[in-house]
Amino acid sequence: MRKYCGSTLFVLFCFACSVGAAAPEEPQDQRNQRMAWWREARFGMVIHWGLYAVPAGVWNGKRVDGPGEWIMFRGRIPVVEYERLADQFNPPQFNPREWVSIAKNAGMKYILITAKHHDGFCLFDSKLTDFDVMNTPFHRDVLKELSDECHREGIQFGLYYSIMDWHHPDYLPRGKDSPRPWDTRPTEEADYNRYIEYVKDQLRELLTNYGDIAVLWFDGGWEHSAEENRATEIIHLARSIQPNIIINDRLGITQDFNTPEQYVPAKAIQENDWETCMTMNDTWGHKSYDQNWKSAENLIHSLVGCAAEGGNFLLNVGPTDGGIIPKPSVERLEAIGRWLKDNGESIYASAPSPFRELPWGRCTRKPGQLFLHVFNWPEGNLSVPGLRNPVLKAYLLTDSNRSPLALRRTEEEALVSLPEAAPDPIDTVIVLEIEGEPDVFLLPIHQREEGSLKLEAMDATIHGPNARYETGLDKGNIGFWTSPEDWVSWDFRIDKPGTFIAEITYACGKGAGGSKYEITVGDQKLKDRVEETDSWNDYARKSLRAIQLSTPGTYTLSVKAATIPSSAVMNLKRITLRPVDG
Ligand code: FHN
């Protein structure tokens, strides 16, 4: 069993820290200065590497479900067996120069690496444990070599650090009635506070011995509350050692940025900076047989999607036990790098889109410029809806001559004449030079080709104190609908009048049903009662009755709760109006 060094005065020490735990409120201009490089960067790499690259998803000859870095847990591998992997860790082709070059060529501006993942193995020389890279045949400090190369090459270097630790004897929970019943090490002597002191001592090592650490990406805090993890103390410690460091939200306390995972928010996260983290296949740590790679097009669209909503994109690589970044990852990063070489001006230091959803793609912007990212190349003209600004010029970003594209205006849109074929089938960027700050009015929602109307949560106008749009993989709904003053509305336009069946799609947790609500559109009212579904994320579609929309024009549909007998009304995802004769 690997050894650990404990902190002898941890009782006195943690009292001292808890007294000074709350960091003084940082002035906004100081925060903006500290966040500036990160907000401009838009694109970074996270490296998941460790002992789990040795089995690469296979244990005792069998494939183990789940991400590669979770093999110790998903394979229910006892600590003493898992530890033996350290004796096999000797990556002959590890070359930090190559890794940094791949990231830079991809247009990435920062690199994070797993200093310690959930398995507890440390990719750095830690004096607090011998379960680290120095006690393997490799015997080289990976973090030191990589941080030196990053600092040499002018790319920001950051650390991923897991609070959850399936190896440390003081980490709990484990054993009977825990998520890891197979870990039968006695728990009587385990002391979680002493484990947190170990975490803090390791952070001192990491934030002292490896130069400028730009980002601290905590993870795995979910088995304990922020209080039990002494999150405020840990954050205060990190900022006291590296005052410019940027810290994520995964210690359970909102910090410098939020961390949506494996998806691009459909609508900007307004309350904080944010960064989507994503794998290129289905695993963070290398798995020899995971060949489910996202296309370069998909990844470029995700990068653009993040920038268009004002966030960053953190893309993962999982090197092999030989120290190689898998070829499919490198190929995708090279394709992203080529696209950014031509179009990076529309991503780096860009601001989010002023538009609601655009049917043909996304938009980013800079002062006096709109960058129209056209994924789906329309025939003839490109419509830019709701733009009031005078457009001074339109041209292809990659056209060094900036040859003007023909422009015309209607009351509701700017129309750009396009060449017949898209110069870049993945994402062609058109620049609109505009006068002044973007001035965009939201067009009413139009009927679709077949005449239906989809009133999506992200397009709703939300009224009242609590209700809000929730972004997320199984979200995209109006949630927190808890106040009688909360209600929602949509403006939409009917060009093809008729009779429509109203359908509502919502989720409502078990036992929370019963709210009575009214849908009003024009002079018509539909009343119904919310029925519970299996959970707040389990959506069901329900047909209500028919309504007449007899004249072309703009309408407002509103949804209000008449009664709220339980915790909340519903998680409303959309309302659809389907033409009866359609
Ligand atoms: O459990 C980890 C997982 O292994 C991986 O590190 C991701 C990266 O964001 N974070 C946790 C899952 O959310």
Side-chain angles (χ1 to χ4, degrees):
M1 181 66 77
R2 302 288 175 148
K3 292 194 303 294
Y4 285 87
C5 308
S7 167
T8 48
L9 296 177
F10 78 91
V11 173
L12 182 62
F13 182 77
C14 64
F15 173 74
C17 281
S18 63
V19 169
E25 200 49 49
E26 180 184 27
Q28 191 57 48
D29 57 347
Q30 191 178 315
R31 180 170 189 271
N32 290 339
Q33 194 178 4
R34 184 167 57 83
M35 294 296 291
W37 76 263
W38 188 90
R39 291 170 175 162
E40 293 186 8
R42 285 283 176 254
F43 188 30
M45 175 186 274
V46 60
I47 301 169
H48 276 72
W49 200 38
L51 296 186
Y52 39 79
V54 176
V58 177
W59 195 257
N60 293 336
K62 291 197 181 70
R63 290 184 173 189
V64 177
D65 280 350
E69 71 285 1
W70 272 72
I71 192 166
M72 183 178 177
F73 183 96
R74 302 295 285 267
R76 302 165 74 93
I77 303 169
V79 169
V80 285
E81 271 186 54
Y82 189 85
E83 279 182 335
R84 291 192 201 112
L85 289 171
D87 303 334
Q88 302 172 54
F89 191 75
N90 191 9
Q93 293 150 294
F94 168 63
N95 178 351
R97 181 162 302 185
E98 186 176 286
W99 287 10
V100 171
S101 165
I102 288 169
K104 283 190 78 172
N105 291 339
M108 293 163 147
K109 301 299 182 185
Y110 55 106
I111 295 177
L112 315 182
I113 187 165
T114 48
K116 180 182 76 115
H117 204 266
H118 309 333
D119 61 358
F121 179 73
C122 301
L123 265 186
F124 63 100
D125 180 2
S126 174
K127 300 300 177 243
L128 298 158
T129 176
D130 63 10
F131 193 44
D132 71 356
V133 70
M134 304 313 284
N135 290 277
T136 68
F138 190 53
H139 198 72
R140 283 163 54 182
D141 187 331
V142 171
L143 258 57
K144 181 79 175 85
E145 294 187 35
L146 186 61
S147 60
D148 285 350
E149 185 62 20
C150 286
H151 295 139
R152 203 174 9 252
E153 287 297 319
I155 190 165
Q156 299 282 3
F157 175 73
L159 300 171
Y160 167 109
Y161 188 90
S162 172
I163 298 297
M164 184 155 70
D165 187 318
W166 300 323
H167 183 273
H168 196 287
D170 281 332
Y171 182 82
L172 297 170
R174 66 166 180 264
K176 192 170 173 303
D177 303 330
S178 85
R180 292 181 293 124
W182 60 87
D183 185 345
T184 54
R185 292 177 291 170
T187 57
E188 292 70 26
E189 298 298 309
D191 180 324
Y192 196 71
N193 260 321
R194 187 167 57 208
Y195 170 69
I196 294 297
E197 286 309 311
Y198 166 79
V199 167
K200 292 172 74 173
D201 289 341
Q202 280 209 318
L203 289 172
R204 285 188 186 86
E205 292 183 306
L206 289 165
L207 299 176
T208 307
N209 303 338
Y210 299 92
D212 183 36
I213 304 294
V215 178
L216 193 44
W217 215 99
F218 286 110
D219 203 5
W222 57 77
E223 293 194 313
H224 293 271
S225 68
E227 291 69 30
E228 287 165 341
N229 284 333
R230 293 157 51 190
T232 303
E233 281 175 52
I234 289 174
I235 290 163
H236 183 70
L237 170 68
R239 295 195 188 282
S240 66
I241 301 171
Q242 298 240 7
N244 289 326
I245 202 161
I246 291 173
I247 299 176
N248 75 347
D249 61 349
R250 293 207 177 178
L251 269 185
I253 303 178
T254 297
Q255 288 295 307
D256 298 318
F257 64 96
N258 296 359
T259 53
E261 181 168 324
Q262 300 287 27
Y263 72 93
V264 177
K267 197 169 181 179
I269 296 174
Q270 303 293 351
E271 62 272 13
N272 200 10
D273 287 283
W274 58 274
E275 168 197 77
T276 282
C277 55
M278 190 176 283
T279 55
M280 285 199 223
N281 48 11
D282 293 327
T283 180
W284 301 91
H286 178 61
K287 282 180 83 172
S288 55
Y289 51 88
D290 180 339
Q291 299 305 325
N292 187 27
W293 300 97
K294 297 174 182 75
S295 67
E297 175 175 354
N298 176 305
L299 297 168
I300 290 169
H301 288 178
S302 292
L303 168 62
V304 173
C306 288
E309 297 304 335
N312 284 14
F313 187 48
L314 184 70
L315 189 55
N316 179 74
V317 296
T320 66
D321 62 339
I324 293 288
I325 296 177
K327 189 164 179 288
S329 296
V330 175
E331 288 167 345
R332 283 150 181 78
L333 290 171
E334 287 170 342
I336 297 169
R338 286 193 296 273
W339 185 86
L340 278 170
K341 198 169 170 58
D342 293 339
N343 302 283
E345 181 187 345
S346 68
I347 299 293
Y348 302 125
S350 67
S353 170
F355 302 102
R356 195 164 56 198
E357 195 182 2
L358 294 163
W360 36 260
R362 296 280 194 159
C363 175
T364 55
R365 63 186 165 88
K366 285 179 177 173
Q369 290 179 307
L370 296 176
F371 298 102
L372 310 180
H373 296 265
V374 187
F375 300 165
N376 311 310
W377 196 254
E379 284 181 25
N381 292 317
L382 181 76
S383 162
V384 186
L387 181 65
R388 287 200 181 96
N389 301 77
V391 179
L392 308 174
K393 191 174 181 180
Y395 53 89
L396 293 170
L397 177 59
T398 53
D399 174 2
S400 52
N401 300 319
R402 298 192 173 186
S403 319
L405 297 172
L407 269 167
R408 69 185 176 85
R409 307 288 302 240
T410 69
E411 253 180 49
E412 293 188 345
E413 59 193 339
L415 291 163
V416 185
S417 298
L418 296 179
E420 193 173 330
D424 183 328
I426 291 181
D427 174 7
T428 297
V429 181
I430 291 169
V431 185
L432 288 195
E433 290 188 355
I434 60 171
E435 212 172 84
E437 281 301 302
D439 177 8
V440 174
F441 64 95
L442 293 183
L443 288 176
I445 299 159
H446 287 269
Q447 279 173 285
R448 292 169 179 256
E449 271 309 299
E450 83 290 352
S452 70
L453 270 150
K454 278 199 190 299
L455 307 179
E456 299 287 350
M458 67 178 282
D459 296 325
T461 302
I462 301 175
H463 314 262
N466 301 338
R468 64 172 183 260
Y469 179 75
E470 290 187 87
T471 186
L473 272 183
D474 51 5
K475 297 273 180 200
N477 61 274
I478 293 153
F480 295 91
W481 192 340
T482 55
S483 163
E485 279 75 54
D486 290 329
W487 60 286
V488 294
S489 64
W490 290 268
D491 294 330
F492 62 88
R493 183 149 78 213
I494 290 289
D495 300 315
K496 293 176 258 178
T499 305
F500 296 80
I501 292 289
E503 293 172 351
I504 186 168
T505 303
Y506 64 73
C508 180
K510 283 247 179 262
S515 294
K516 290 190 177 130
Y517 64 93
E518 290 176 358
I519 296 176
T520 305
V521 51
D523 56 0
Q524 299 170 79
K525 269 191 197 306
L526 294 81
K527 296 182 180 181
D528 201 22
R529 180 180 174 280
V530 174
E531 294 162 33
E532 64 185 48
T533 58
D534 285 347
S535 77
W536 287 104
N537 295 325
D538 177 66
Y539 291 90
R541 187 175 68 191
K542 184 177 181 184
S543 282
L544 304 172
R545 65 174 180 76
I547 55 172
Q548 289 297 332
L549 301 175
S550 311
T551 51
T554 302
Y555 291 79
T556 297
L557 181 146
S558 63
V559 188
K560 296 184 177 179
T563 63
I564 311 178
S566 63
S567 55
V569 180
M570 63 174 109
N571 277 354
L572 176 57
K573 191 175 268 284
R574 76 173 62 84
I575 288 183
T576 306
L577 301 179
R578 283 190 204 290
V580 169
D581 42 349

